């Protein structure tokens, strides 16, 4: 665990040293703040004390931001050869992948923490469903963790950052949009399965304040599979090199 934390701190520090963290946080707050408070679908016009608008904007914003955040995590390490140096330091591939995953997740946590004033402001507007608020934040966190694992897998199969970004988006769009559309279109067992595979289904459930074990199992399964595949591809590339 100590080795994982060392990698996590190293990667998190690199985000702030290279200004990536500041750009991501500022852009995230800018997008979500603008569409939550200023556009035609803003909270004041809805007349309801909730953050559903923010959660839906965050749902889409994180979908695009996270592949940009993860695209270099393993691809750049492989291209530059530093991944081989890490492997010689008695650090397993799983520890490398997990450390990078936690670094990205912590950056998302920091970005979401910066939106707590939204929560405080809305709570002053009227009676608020705190369960739905907490569920919405939990949904954004689990959604982010899922896409981070997918992004790390994409970054593990290429040494080109742009290709890693596009692969992560391509895989993500199935979970983010296509499974939802196909699940709604098709009927029967196939439709139910596709609907279950949709991130939207489980995110919407959490954002309503419903804590269902099926949603948690889904997100943890996506995270586990994504990280396992990333570790397997990293081990394969290291073995081949």
């Amino acid at each position: 665990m100590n080795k994982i934390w060392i990698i996590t701190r190293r990667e998190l520090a690199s985000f702030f040293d290279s200004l990536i963290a500041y750009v991501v946080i500022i852009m995230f707050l800018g997008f979500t703040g603008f569409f939550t408070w200023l556009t035609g679908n803003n909270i004041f016009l809805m007349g309801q004390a909730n953050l559903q608008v923010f959660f839906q904007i965050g749902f889409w914003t994180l979908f695009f931001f996270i592949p940009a955040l993860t695209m270099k995590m393993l691809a750049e390490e492989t291209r530059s050869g530093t991944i081989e140096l890490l492997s010689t330091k008695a650090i397993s591939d799983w520890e490398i992948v997990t450390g990078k995953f936690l670094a990205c997740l912590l950056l998302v946590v920091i970005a979401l923490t910066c939106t707590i004033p939204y929560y405080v402001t809305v709570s002053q507007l009227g009676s608020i469903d705190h369960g739905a608020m907490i569920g919405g934040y939990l949904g954004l966190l689990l959604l982010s963790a899922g896409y981070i694992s997918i992004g790390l897998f994409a970054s593990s199969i290429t040494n080109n950052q742009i290709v890693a970004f596009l692969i992560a988006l391509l895989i993500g769009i199935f979970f983010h949009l296509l499974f939802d559309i196909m699940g709604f279109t098709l009927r029967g067992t196939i439709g139910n399965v596709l609907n279950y595979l949709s991130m939207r289904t489980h995110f919407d459930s959490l954002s309503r304040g419903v804590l269902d074990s099926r949603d948690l199992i889904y997100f943890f399964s996506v995270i586990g599979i994504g990280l396992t595949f990333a570790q397997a591809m990293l081990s394969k590339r290291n073995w081949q090199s």
Side-chain angles (χ1 to χ4, degrees):
M1 188 63 187
N2 186 50
K3 295 176 182 178
I4 293 175
W5 180 237
I6 290 173
I7 295 174
T8 300
R9 287 189 302 172
R10 166 182 173 264
E11 295 298 331
L12 192 60
S14 72
F15 284 143
F16 285 94
D17 290 341
S18 62
L19 300 182
I20 292 176
Y22 302 103
V23 171
V24 169
I25 292 172
I26 291 172
M27 290 187 66
F28 177 74
L29 293 176
F31 274 106
T32 58
F34 178 78
F35 288 104
T36 299
W37 301 101
L38 299 177
T39 61
N41 197 32
N42 67 62
I43 287 176
F44 299 111
L45 291 180
M46 289 179 63
Q48 298 178 359
N50 63 57
L51 281 177
Q52 286 303 314
V53 173
F54 163 69
F55 293 141
Q56 295 306 317
I57 297 301
F59 177 79
W60 281 99
T61 304
L62 290 169
F63 169 68
F64 289 103
F65 278 17
I66 289 177
L69 187 64
T70 59
M71 64 183 185
K72 79 177 189 70
M73 297 302 287
L74 295 172
E76 180 62 22
E77 295 266 27
T78 303
R79 188 193 65 79
S80 63
T82 55
I83 197 72
E84 297 176 5
L85 181 61
L86 277 176
S87 300
T88 63
K89 299 294 184 180
I91 301 175
S92 68
D93 292 330
W94 179 255
E95 289 170 331
I96 294 172
V97 170
T98 305
K100 290 177 178 292
F101 168 80
L102 291 177
C104 293
L105 188 59
L106 283 175
L107 183 56
V108 172
V109 169
I110 293 171
L112 291 177
T113 301
C114 291
T115 67
I116 294 299
Y118 298 178
Y119 190 169
V120 175
T121 301
V122 170
S123 67
Q124 305 301 314
L125 299 178
S127 179
I128 189 172
D129 185 347
H130 295 286
M133 291 288 202
I134 295 172
Y137 274 104
L138 177 61
L140 288 178
L141 187 61
L142 292 174
L143 177 84
S144 300
Y147 284 134
I148 290 170
S149 68
I150 291 173
L152 288 176
F153 167 66
S155 187
S156 71
I157 60 180
T158 179
N159 57 9
N160 186 297
Q161 295 185 41
I162 302 302
V163 173
F165 174 79
L166 294 175
I167 292 174
L169 272 184
L170 179 62
I171 297 174
I173 201 169
F174 279 91
F175 290 94
H176 201 79
L177 186 63
L178 295 183
F179 286 144
D180 187 48
I181 294 175
M182 291 187 292
F184 180 78
T185 303
L186 300 174
R187 303 297 179 184
T189 303
I190 296 178
N192 291 334
V193 170
L194 291 173
N195 187 59
Y196 181 79
L197 291 175
S198 169
M199 289 274 192
R200 164 73 70 179
T201 299
H202 303 281
F203 174 77
D204 285 349
S205 176
L206 287 170
S207 66
R208 291 193 298 268
V210 179
L211 189 61
D212 193 321
S213 59
R214 291 173 297 182
D215 299 325
L216 298 179
I217 290 172
Y218 169 82
F219 281 115
F220 285 123
S221 296
V222 171
I223 296 167
I225 292 172
L227 293 181
T228 299
F229 281 9
Q231 184 268 332
M233 290 302 302
L234 185 60
S235 299
K236 180 180 178 182
R237 295 181 71 175
N238 288 337
W239 180 80
Q240 289 177 341
S241 60

